[in-house]
Amino acid sequence: TIIAFDVGSTELRDKLIDKLKSKGIIQGGCGTKSIRLRPSLYFEEKHADIYLKALDEAIVECKEESLYIFYGNNHETTFVND
């Protein structure tokens, strides 16, 4: 695992994973609230750009569904409901 981050609940984590999957990004959930990025051995900067664009789009979609994102002091991403 190169990147892992937590969201506020299992439900929110699953929604974000589903949105990423619809964009062609396969993610793994871990524990009850974490998402892990496990890229292939062949992973270049262009792949990171693709991932970040898809993640940004998924976050916007979650915001449109009244899910808000807050960045904590440890650069962790947490989703909470209205």
Side-chain angles (χ1 to χ4, degrees):
T1 300
I2 293 179
I3 299 170
F5 57 95
D6 288 343
V7 297
S9 70
T10 302
E11 177 188 28
L12 297 174
R13 188 250 344 246
D14 293 344
K15 284 184 180 187
L16 187 55
I17 288 173
D18 287 343
K19 290 183 181 306
L20 287 166
K21 186 175 181 181
S22 73
K23 299 174 184 314
I25 306 291
I26 305 290
Q27 290 286 247
C30 181
T32 59
K33 301 186 297 184
S34 297
I35 294 177
R36 289 187 177 183
L37 171 61
R38 294 182 175 179
S40 66
L41 293 176
Y42 185 76
F43 190 83
E44 297 179 343
E45 186 174 345
K46 66 182 178 181
H47 301 112
D49 292 339
I50 291 167
Y51 175 76
L52 292 173
K53 181 177 184 241
L55 181 60
D56 285 342
E57 291 171 358
I59 288 170
V60 168
E61 290 171 16
C62 285
K63 282 177 134 178
E64 290 171 355
E65 294 175 7
S66 299
L67 304 175
Y68 293 96
I69 300 164
F70 298 91
Y71 295 96
N73 293 334
N74 297 329
H75 305 288
E76 295 175 355
T77 304
T78 303
F79 291 81
V80 296
N81 288 325
D82 269 338

